[in-house]
Amino acid sequence: MNVYQFDQERKRRDEERKQREREQRPSQPPAFNLPSAIVWLSAGLIAIHVVREFLIPAGWNNMMIYFLAFWPVKYTALASLHALDLASSLWAFVSYSFLHGGAMHLTFNLLWMAIFGSAVVRRFGLGRFLVFSALCSVGGAFAHLATHWGESAPMIGASAAISGHMAAAIRFVFELGGPLGVFRSSDRSAYFVQAQPLAECFRNQQVLVFVGVWFGLNLFFGLMSGGQTGSIAWQAHIGGFIAGLALFPVFDPVPQRRH
């Protein structure tokens, strides 16, 4: 072997050694281990809140609340509403979800969406996730309307949609091989385990504890607020949750596990 061949062989072995070291080196987790849809939705909600709070006059903010928030009182006199008011009474079933009452309100919703919305969007894909979220918002608005008929206080916040995310997530995250299951997979396949039938789902102790705590907190804070303006719209949360349970099999791309 001449000097040139020796040098080439040495370089080849060095490259092989470096390649083995790269393969054996533990991969570093990304700074934000969230689906891009959740990141962009969160950024959009934050941007809307910043614009309302700091960048536009109070009169414009009040106009946004008037035309985008969900006002139960509007539905008592639909026949007498002007065209724009009538249109806003339709899109308000979804648009109220983009407004929040304060930084704390927004922060909690973003946290819950990051936890449960991430699991759902990974399973559903972006298109199904957005339509599913909108319909859960509608479910929450109907529940609020039924229990606050004629009230003049507006409802805002994404909590009903996120409650729907929670309802969808419990159908599969606690399954064996799921993201939170006892025997769980660490790769993306964890989000595509077959969902158990709803009746079996509510025999799962983890699901029962989670749902019990969630309902308890909603009822507690709702009753403590005494129905005052700015209180938690816990009926809308429950409406969104029920809508999420009902709509999950319609949107789920994974065939449901049978008995």
Side-chain angles (χ1 to χ4, degrees), residues 51-104:
V51 168
R52 288 182 52 232
E53 290 292 317
F54 305 108
L55 301 180
I56 61 175
W60 290 15
N61 181 39
N62 292 337
M63 189 176 297
M64 287 183 68
I65 294 175
Y66 181 76
F67 285 113
L68 298 178
F70 188 81
W71 297 81
V73 69
K74 286 186 177 182
Y75 303 91
T76 62
L78 288 176
S80 61
L81 293 178
H82 295 295
L84 187 56
D85 279 332
L86 185 60
S88 71
S89 69
L90 296 177
W91 67 55
F93 278 92
V94 175
S95 61
Y96 77 92
S97 299
F98 295 94
L99 308 178
H100 288 84
M104 189 65 68

Side-chain angles (χ1 to χ4, degrees), residues 11-25:
K11 288 180 180 180
R12 185 184 64 81
R13 291 180 180 178
D14 286 344
E15 286 298 321
E16 290 178 352
R17 178 178 55 81
K18 290 177 181 178
Q19 179 64 27
R20 286 195 298 269
E21 290 175 353
R22 284 193 295 267
E23 292 174 353
Q24 294 172 1
R25 189 179 303 144

Side-chain angles (χ1 to χ4, degrees), residues 90-225:
L90 296 177
W91 67 55
F93 278 92
V94 175
S95 61
Y96 77 92
S97 299
F98 295 94
L99 308 178
H100 288 84
M104 189 65 68
H105 185 201
L106 176 61
T107 300
F108 275 110
N109 275 347
L110 293 181
L111 176 62
W112 288 112
M113 184 170 68
I115 296 171
F116 296 101
S118 294
V120 178
V121 75
R122 284 181 174 128
R123 185 179 180 96
F124 282 5
L126 178 59
R128 294 185 189 205
F129 174 77
L130 292 178
V131 176
F132 176 82
S133 300
L135 291 178
C136 289
S137 294
V138 172
F142 271 117
H144 185 77
L145 181 62
T147 53
H148 294 78
W149 180 257
E151 286 192 6
S152 57
M155 177 181 70
I156 57 177
S159 301
I162 295 168
S163 297
H165 300 166
M166 295 180 189
I170 65 171
R171 294 294 304 276
F172 65 92
V173 296
F174 296 116
E175 282 288 274
L176 295 178
L180 299 178
V182 177
F183 301 103
R184 58 183 181 270
S185 173
S186 59
D187 58 21
R188 188 174 172 81
S189 65
Y191 297 97
F192 295 95
V193 296
Q194 287 185 307
Q196 58 188 334
L198 187 59
E200 288 187 21
C201 180
F202 281 99
R203 287 197 287 267
N204 184 314
Q205 187 174 3
Q206 291 174 292
V207 172
L208 289 176
V209 170
F210 172 79
V211 173
V213 170
W214 183 82
F215 267 89
L217 289 173
N218 273 282
L219 291 173
F220 173 77
F221 286 114
L223 295 174
M224 288 294 291
S225 66

